[in-house]
Amino acid sequence: MSKKKIVGKVAIFIVCFSMMAFVLMVVGFWTYAKIAGAPNLSVGLTSVYFADNGEPIGETSNGQKRLWVKLDEISPKFIDAIVTIEDQNFFEHSGIDIKRIGGALLADLKAGKKVQGASTISQQYARTLFLSQEKTWNRKIQEALYALRIEANYTKREILEGYLNTIYFGHGMYGIEAASEFYFHKSAKELDLAEATILAGIPKGPGIFSPLPSDKNAKTRQKIILSELVKVGKIKKADSVAAFAQPLHYYGTGLTVKESIAPYFQDEVKKEVIRILADRKDLLEHGGLRIYTTLNLDNQRAAEQVVKETIPTQSEVQVALITMEPQTGEVKAMLGGRDYAVSPFNRATQSLRQPGSTIKPLLYYAALENGFTPSTTMRSEETQFTYDHGRAIYAPHNFNSHYANKEITMAQALAISDNIYAVKTHLFLGEEKLVNTSKLFGISSEFNQVPSLALGTSIVRPIEMTNAFNYFANSGKKVSPTYVEKITNYKGDVLYEKKDTTEQVLDSARAFVMGQMMKGIFDASLNGYANVTGSSIISKLTHDYAAKSGTTETDSWMIGFTPELTTGIWIGYDTEKKLELWTEQKFAKSIWAAVMDKELAAIPVSEMTVPEDVIGVTVDPETGLLANEDCPASRLTYFTKGTEPVESCYLHNHTEKKDTKKKTKKKPKKKEPWYKKLF
């Protein structure tokens, strides 16, 4: 055999052996990848909060913002750009690109050091998830093994989606959605060609190619990417020129910034999410949750604006404000203080304050259950009450120690906030009755069984007191404050969705009657020895409201509703400092009136439906009896059927009084002629 033939056979043997070795190596690697199984591709993702209109309002990022979007929710222009510049053979290789490795080896050998990368998208994805960024052969081998495992256990679409959602774009932004929001204030699916090619250039070196520190470097990288896109036929030359020339504005801030929108509300959302997820705080912090909240941005902005405009900057008074939807308990706006940065203590949900006269609607509802009606009268006069089996004396006073010194109706007592009437009612019902009734209204704070409870001396949270008024606004159905509508994971799978349940806990007829009575604080026909408590803001109101104010030495309240919204306001100092200035005492009413009118500006406001077992009659406000034509004032008042007055007002019936004073005059006798006297 000739030497030439021997060399030929050896060459063929070497080639065949090399091919077999390569095939065995590939099979071995693939077998290893399958045996090793699918690596866990999960990463810590940012959870995002959304308002009720879908607009983001906050996030939990821990310094690294990661937002996950599906591949179909990413602009095809960006996908083409990133694949073209990073791994043109991505859809053909199995995790490792042999041609690119060969080219990189030659370049490294010539330079005598590691100078050129050959990492595929799969390898880059593996490096991001599991490895460091050091340029060593050991890391490259591990990177290749991880890439093979990823390719063997996930589809190309899954790998590309994961890669685009985890790569780093600088400035704490991970993934294309976070980057798109940060740089351009738009979602990844809205990126145009110019924006897409700028962002596609950043992962190569975020510190170098981010347009914020160097627009020149970013444009240089963009030009390379546009040229490659033309070369592979993804775009035309004219498109490349237009995209490169297009001026771009970089925001450099996220769309969602923690504590920027309703920070007190966001804190309550976090608490509710953790409760819903059975204390899985890790899901909230790293799970990439999408949390759809009940917050209405228009309501929240209205509340913030009014408070800022009403309370002087130098004032130290604090505020708690809650707006809710009566039928669902959904919290639509919340202020827990005037400045979250100064004090994150949420006064709306955490502070315990005396509710003052805002407790009276609950007391009078209990009275309606026990035979009282809006026309029930009791005498308003300075009174000392004995209690504790006669061992103690309680002597409440009306505002400015003014009294009617005569009988007044319950409707008027509520409207002018007569304290004597309230305490008499409370003691008549029994001190335990109001305590039990408060629990019926969803109040968990403990109330003391004392005469002064009728004037709101036991402490309660503003959120509880506001929610209690929802029961009047929604026909007596049980409702609880809620902050979260729905929770999904980063893939869109629903983890939780709120279900509206209704439970009738109050008598609907009495709840309606009580709600109508609460409109009396804005009805001047109920003025008596004092004006109705809402008289100072009647001229400012553009809707028909039911409400109740409350005042203690240290607290000022206003809570009221329409069928659409309930808003509660508390004003006071964090300390026990008294509200001595008249301007401070009127903040609650002024803020409430302005906020409610702003919140309802774009909402058609409806009237509550009159229950079948309720009847409305026109009564004299002073006596509570049926009004007649001589009564100086009259108002439509609602009663549960069978309890309405049937007697007419006697106090103003002038016609009857005149008739009783008339005397019967005798007809004068006719003078007889003189001659008739003779006979």
Side-chain angles (χ1 to χ4, degrees):
M1 184 180 293
S2 66
K3 186 175 181 181
K4 188 176 181 180
K5 287 183 177 181
I6 294 173
V7 172
K9 287 183 177 182
V10 171
I12 292 171
F13 174 79
I14 292 172
V15 170
C16 290
F17 180 81
S18 299
M19 290 178 65
M20 288 179 62
F22 177 76
V23 170
L24 288 172
M25 182 180 70
V26 171
V27 171
F29 276 134
W30 197 255
T31 303
Y32 157 78
K34 280 293 186 182
I35 293 173
N40 183 4
L41 304 185
S42 62
V43 293
L45 299 173
T46 300
S47 292
V48 182
Y49 309 113
F50 299 91
D52 63 359
N53 66 349
E55 186 174 331
I57 60 170
E59 61 190 33
T60 56
S61 63
N62 297 319
Q64 296 183 351
K65 183 172 179 179
R66 301 173 186 266
L67 302 174
W68 195 282
V69 288
K70 295 178 181 178
L71 196 61
D72 294 337
E73 296 172 338
I74 300 172
S75 168
K77 294 180 175 63
F78 176 80
I79 295 174
D80 287 343
I82 197 77
V83 171
T84 298
I85 197 63
E86 294 292 342
D87 187 0
Q88 292 182 17
N89 299 320
F90 170 71
F91 290 101
E92 284 74 46
H93 63 65
S94 297
I96 301 172
D97 192 333
I98 302 300
K99 291 181 180 178
R100 289 185 70 185
I101 291 175
L105 282 172
L106 288 174
D108 292 348
L109 289 171
K110 288 179 180 179
K113 60 181 179 178
K114 188 81 174 64
V115 294
Q116 186 172 318
S119 296
T120 62
I121 281 177
S122 302
Q123 287 174 279
Q124 292 179 47
Y125 189 23
R127 183 196 318 151
T128 300
L129 293 175
F130 310 113
L131 303 168
S132 68
Q133 298 296 317
E134 61 178 345
K135 293 183 178 182
T136 64
W137 286 109
N138 181 53
R139 195 221 69 195
K140 291 295 293 182
I141 293 171
Q142 291 184 40
E143 183 182 286
L145 293 175
Y146 270 118
L148 288 171
R149 286 179 62 189
I150 290 172
E151 289 274 355
N153 293 282
Y154 296 96
T155 67
K156 286 290 186 180
R157 283 183 61 85
E158 288 174 327
I159 295 168
L160 185 57
E161 180 178 302
Y163 170 73
L164 297 181
N165 278 291
T166 55
I167 50 177
Y168 186 49
F169 287 86
H171 311 284
M173 301 296 119
Y174 289 80
I176 182 56
E177 182 72 5
S180 184
E181 285 187 3
F182 179 79
Y183 289 102
F184 297 115
H185 274 199
K186 60 171 60 177
S187 64
K189 65 184 176 183
E190 299 172 321
L191 293 170
D192 61 27
L193 180 61
E195 295 162 340
T197 48
I198 282 289
L199 293 183
I202 297 175
K204 178 73 173 177
I208 300 172
F209 298 115
S210 165
L212 298 184
S214 175
D215 185 55
K216 181 181 178 181
N217 289 348
K219 295 297 286 183
T220 299
R221 180 75 173 157
Q222 181 193 36
K223 190 172 186 178
I224 294 171
I225 295 171
L226 288 168
S227 297
E228 285 296 314
L229 285 169
V230 172
K231 188 184 297 183
V232 298
K234 292 291 182 180
I235 62 172
K236 296 178 180 178
K237 180 67 176 178
D239 298 327
S240 171
V241 173
F244 186 75
Q246 180 179 322
L248 296 174
H249 173 70
Y250 307 109
Y251 288 88
T253 58
L255 276 177
T256 58
V257 182
K258 179 177 167 58
E259 299 175 5
S260 63
I261 300 175
Y264 294 101
F265 175 85
Q266 287 190 42
D267 283 351
E268 297 306 312
V269 169
K270 292 171 192 173
K271 293 175 186 176
E272 185 164 324
V273 170
I274 292 171
R275 179 186 60 77
I276 290 170
L277 300 178
D279 296 328
R280 286 291 307 277
K281 189 176 181 181
D282 58 309
L283 280 178
L284 175 63
E285 294 179 346
H286 309 295
L289 302 180
R290 297 292 184 270
I291 302 158
Y292 300 91
T293 77
T294 62
L295 186 77
N296 182 281
L297 287 173
D298 290 337
N299 291 353
Q300 181 68 27
R301 287 164 181 156
E304 291 174 355
Q305 178 186 352
V306 171
V307 168
K308 187 176 182 180
E309 292 174 353
T310 305
I311 303 177
T313 306
Q314 67 273 17
S315 175
E316 294 181 358
V317 296
Q318 280 294 349
V319 62
L321 181 149
I322 309 103
T323 292
M324 306 174 74
E325 189 177 86
Q327 284 69 37
T328 62
E330 293 181 0
V331 177
K332 295 298 179 182
M334 175 176 282
L335 293 177
R338 293 173 61 193
D339 190 336
Y340 185 87
V342 174
S343 172
F345 177 71
N346 193 338
R347 294 154 188 85
T349 61
Q350 295 175 286
S351 64
L352 289 163
R353 310 293 301 206
Q354 292 182 340
S357 291
T358 58
I359 199 69
K360 289 176 181 175
L362 279 63
L363 170 67
Y364 292 146
Y365 175 81
L368 292 177
E369 286 190 315
N370 287 269
F372 282 60
T373 78
S375 290
T376 298
T377 59
M378 284 193 289
R379 191 169 178 83
S380 167
E381 60 186 356
E382 190 170 1
T383 308
Q384 287 188 341
F385 299 91
T386 59
Y387 67 103
D388 193 17
H389 305 290
R391 292 192 293 266
I393 295 176
Y394 178 53
H397 296 281
N398 282 341
F399 180 68
N400 286 335
S401 296
H402 290 168
Y403 306 91
N405 291 315
K406 62 178 182 179
E407 291 197 344
I408 61 174
T409 66
M410 184 163 74
Q412 188 177 52
L414 179 65
I416 62 178
S417 205
D418 187 276
N419 289 337
I420 303 302
Y421 193 107
V423 176
K424 283 184 176 180
T425 304
H426 178 48
L427 294 178
F428 176 84
L429 298 176
E431 295 168 23
E432 75 285 349
K433 186 66 178 177
L434 182 51
V435 173
N436 295 333
T437 300
S438 70
K439 294 176 181 176
L440 194 65
F441 279 81
I443 293 176
S444 60
S445 298
E446 291 296 324
F447 282 1
N448 299 320
Q449 295 186 27
V450 292
S452 63
L453 178 59
L455 308 184
T457 54
S458 289
I459 53 179
V460 65
R461 292 175 177 84
I463 187 77
E464 292 181 290
M465 206 66 235
T466 303
N467 185 60
F469 277 52
N470 282 330
Y471 285 57
F472 296 123
N474 67 10
S475 302
K477 295 182 179 67
K478 181 179 181 180
V479 64
S480 299
T482 58
Y483 306 89
V484 177
E485 284 275 10
K486 186 172 71 172
I487 303 173
T488 68
N489 61 18
Y490 67 93
K491 294 180 179 178
D493 301 324
V494 177
L495 305 181
Y496 165 82
E497 193 158 13
K498 183 175 75 72
K499 295 179 180 179
D500 292 328
T501 57
T502 57
E503 179 186 353
Q504 193 76 38
V505 294
L506 304 183
D507 178 79
S508 59
R510 295 189 183 103
F512 178 85
V513 169
M514 194 64 240
Q516 295 300 311
M517 279 179 59
M518 292 166 68
K519 293 182 178 181
I521 76 165
F522 305 118
D523 188 347
S525 72
L526 286 169
N527 287 343
Y529 70 86
N531 289 334
V532 292
T533 56
S535 58
S536 64
I537 57 172
I538 291 175
S539 61
K540 301 177 182 179
L541 303 179
T542 59
H543 295 83
D544 191 22
Y545 297 111
K548 185 69 188 80
S549 58
T551 305
T552 73
E553 289 184 336
T554 56
D555 309 272
S556 179
W557 296 74
M558 187 68 174
I559 309 175
F561 58 87
T562 66
E564 288 71 31
L565 289 177
T566 299
T567 294
I569 310 261
W570 166 86
I571 294 288
Y573 290 94
D574 286 335
T575 61
E576 289 301 309
K577 183 179 177 181
K578 295 180 180 180
L579 290 169
E580 295 177 335
L581 298 176
W582 178 75
T583 52
E584 294 176 342
Q585 294 171 1
K586 71 174 185 176
F587 283 156
K589 290 177 184 175
S590 298
I591 292 171
W592 181 88
V595 167
M596 284 295 278
D597 270 15
K598 279 181 177 290
E599 289 177 338
L600 293 170
I603 302 175
V605 179
S606 61
E607 282 291 329
M608 295 178 68
T609 304
V610 182
E612 290 183 2
D613 47 352
V614 168
I615 186 171
V617 296
T618 303
V619 303
D620 171 61
E622 189 173 357
T623 64
L625 300 177
L626 296 176
N628 60 57
E629 60 183 11
D630 292 319
C631 291
S634 63
R635 71 185 304 264
L636 179 65
T637 304
Y638 289 91
F639 300 81
T640 56
K641 285 183 178 178
T643 68
E644 70 274 13
V646 294
E647 297 178 4
S648 294
C649 173
Y650 59 85
L651 192 60
H652 305 110
N653 197 336
H654 301 301
T655 303
E656 288 185 6
K657 289 181 180 181
K658 287 177 182 177
D659 288 344
T660 58
K661 291 180 181 179
K662 285 179 180 177
K663 294 182 179 179
T664 303
K665 294 182 179 179
K666 293 181 180 180
K667 291 182 180 180
K669 290 182 179 180
K670 290 182 180 180
K671 193 172 182 180
E672 294 179 344
W674 65 270
Y675 58 87
K676 283 192 176 182
K677 293 180 181 178
L678 296 176
F679 303 95

